[in-house]
């Protein structure tokens, strides 16, 4: 519940629905607060109707209510429009929950191409990616990500003395 507490607090402190609210709502869903997450996605979707944030929020609301056809329509609008690894990762998690493994892996490949290489998150921590963990394409992607994660972790260990404490 600590994650949910911090997600709620961050969303309350932000005065206008934003990407923060999409991430916060997704965290709430991950913690089991599905209805609350759906409400936040809908609020954000309404506030950003007709733009990328609105479509992304609408996609996630539809995923969580089980409206696969609606989610796929919103998802098609996201193709080519998402330009950062976090948004691509969130879309991948949505497709994973819908049971659309090929779409989820495609979006994860996009997230990785844009720089998301957090192997522990992909392989263990994301509850939304759990349905993919036995998928051969997902396993192949993890094999590609792992060396990049290792290099990043080694770089951080080597350069930790430069970090501000």
């Amino acid at each position: 519940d600590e994650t949910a507490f911090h997600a709620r607090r961050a969303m309350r402190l932000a005065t206008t629905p934003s990407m923060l609210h999409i991430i916060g709502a997704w965290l709430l869903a991950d913690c089991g607060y599905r209805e609350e997450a759906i409400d936040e996605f809908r609020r954000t979707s309404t506030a950003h109707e007709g733009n990328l944030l609105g479509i992304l929020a609408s996609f996630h609301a539809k995923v969580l209510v089980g409206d696969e056809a609606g989610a796929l329509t919103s998802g098609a609008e996201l193709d080519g429009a998402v330009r950062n690894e976090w948004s691509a990762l969130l879309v991948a998690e949505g497709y994973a929950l819908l049971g659309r493994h090929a779409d989820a892996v495609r979006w994860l490949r996009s997230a990785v191409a844009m720089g998301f290489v957090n192997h522990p998150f992909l392989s263990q921590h994301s509850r939304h990616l759990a349905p993919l963990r036995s998928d051969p394409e997902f396993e192949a992607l993890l094999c590609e990500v792992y060396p990049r994660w290792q290099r990043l972790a080694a770089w951080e260990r080597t350069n930790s003395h430069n970090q501000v404490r």
Side-chain angles (χ1 to χ4, degrees), residues 64-120:
L64 291 180
V65 298
D67 177 6
E68 183 172 353
L72 294 178
T73 299
S74 293
E77 292 181 69
L78 295 169
D79 275 326
V82 170
R83 305 247 189 273
N84 68 71
E85 67 274 18
W86 286 101
S87 294
L89 172 67
L90 294 176
V91 174
E93 288 181 318
Y95 278 118
L97 286 181
L98 290 174
R100 301 189 57 93
H101 293 197
D103 289 321
V105 171
R106 177 175 57 87
W107 278 96
L108 284 172
R109 286 196 177 283
S110 179
V112 168
M114 289 184 260
F116 192 89
V117 295
N118 188 329
H119 187 273

Side-chain angles (χ1 to χ4, degrees), residues 9 15 23 45 52 68 80 85 88 91 116 137 147 154-155 165:
R9 183 172 185 272
T15 57
I23 294 168
S45 175
L52 181 59
E68 183 172 353
E85 67 274 18
V91 174
F116 192 89
E137 291 297 315
W155 180 88
R165 295 188 196 266

Side-chain angles (χ1 to χ4, degrees), residues 37 50 55 92 104 109 112 135-136 142 146 158:
I55 297 165
R109 286 196 177 283
V112 168
D135 183 282
L142 288 178
Y146 188 72
T158 301

